[in-house]
Amino acid sequence: MLRLTDDLKRGYQLRDRVYKLNLAYDNVLRFYELLDDDHFSAIEKAQTAFEMFFGFAPGPDDEYVAGAFEAIAKYLSEDPYEDTSAGATDLAGNDFTPTKYYSFSQDAGAIYASFREQYGINLIEEQGKLQWDEFKALFAGLGPKTYFQRIVAIRQADPNDYEGKEQVELLEAQNRYALADNHSEEAVQAQLAGFADALKGWALS
């Protein structure tokens, strides 16, 4: 992740110029919100998002947009603790996709509170300053006692491991903190991959 991050922090080369990208965490989160907006086509999203990251709008026929977003999508999807060379396997050797029990959008309040609690960081004050890779590193380091991680633990818990009142309370909590179908990080990453594929098709058409 560090190599790719450092490359993008230096800038992204378009033709004969190197452009600085806006990779602040809040800008990335706004990009994810844009992906989820059904009022825009994939091409309209690409043009809007390009301006969000680069600071200017591309021309309607600029083929480099697809290449730029391929690099950005790869950067946003990078996980330093995940082996991207092959699919993850369980103890029996079977391939599987690890479930992510959180959503940056739906859990925004809990994440904000947890950053204040553990790091003393006010994410509102860090808008435009805290970079995405830094945000993700801090996010990954949130401890089990933080508000956010307690919510994740509730989602991960198996009700069959509990009985009576404790089971009822867990089920109520799981219902309260349940993720919307399109808010899980698996859904977001699938959406990002679909967006990148749509841009590739557009560039080749």
Side-chain angles (χ1 to χ4, degrees), residues 170-187:
L170 173 62
L171 289 170
E172 290 176 347
Q174 288 184 331
N175 182 61
R176 182 166 63 251
Y177 294 117
L179 286 172
D181 290 341
N182 65 335
H183 277 191
S184 71
E185 285 311 298
E186 288 102 330

Side-chain angles (χ1 to χ4, degrees), residues 81-98:
Y81 303 108
E82 192 173 90
D83 183 4
T84 56
S85 62
T89 58
D90 59 21
L91 295 177
N94 300 313
D95 292 343
F96 77 103
T97 300

Side-chain angles (χ1 to χ4, degrees), residues 112-129:
Y112 170 85
S114 297
F115 268 64
R116 287 297 297 263
E117 176 185 358
Q118 180 163 317
Y119 303 118
I121 293 176
N122 184 332
L123 284 175
I124 294 177
E125 295 178 352
E126 291 297 321
Q127 291 181 4
K129 296 182 289 185

Side-chain angles (χ1 to χ4, degrees), residues 12 63-72 199 203:
Y12 186 86
E63 296 181 357
Y64 56 73
V65 173
F69 273 105
E70 187 175 5
I72 292 173
L199 292 184

Side-chain angles (χ1 to χ4, degrees), residues 162-172:
Y162 298 82
E163 295 181 352
K165 181 180 178 181
E166 288 186 345
Q167 186 181 63
V168 172
E169 291 176 345
L170 173 62
L171 289 170
E172 290 176 347

Side-chain angles (χ1 to χ4, degrees), residues 25-26 28-33 76-79 100-112 115 123 132-142 148-149 152 155 179-180 182-189 192:
Y25 87 93
D26 52 304
V28 172
L29 294 181
R30 280 193 294 272
F31 165 65
Y32 279 131
E33 290 179 359
L76 298 181
S77 301
E78 282 283 309
D79 186 337
K100 295 182 178 179
Y101 294 88
Y102 65 89
S103 161
F104 284 123
S105 57
Q106 189 170 326
D107 294 325
I111 293 170
Y112 170 85
F115 268 64
L123 284 175
W132 179 247
D133 59 322
E134 298 168 321
F135 168 82
K136 285 214 303 184
L138 293 169
F139 174 76
L142 289 174
F148 168 74
Q149 289 291 11
V152 170
R155 291 173 181 154
L179 286 172
N182 65 335
H183 277 191
S184 71
E185 285 311 298
E186 288 102 330
V188 170
Q189 293 306 323
L192 179 60

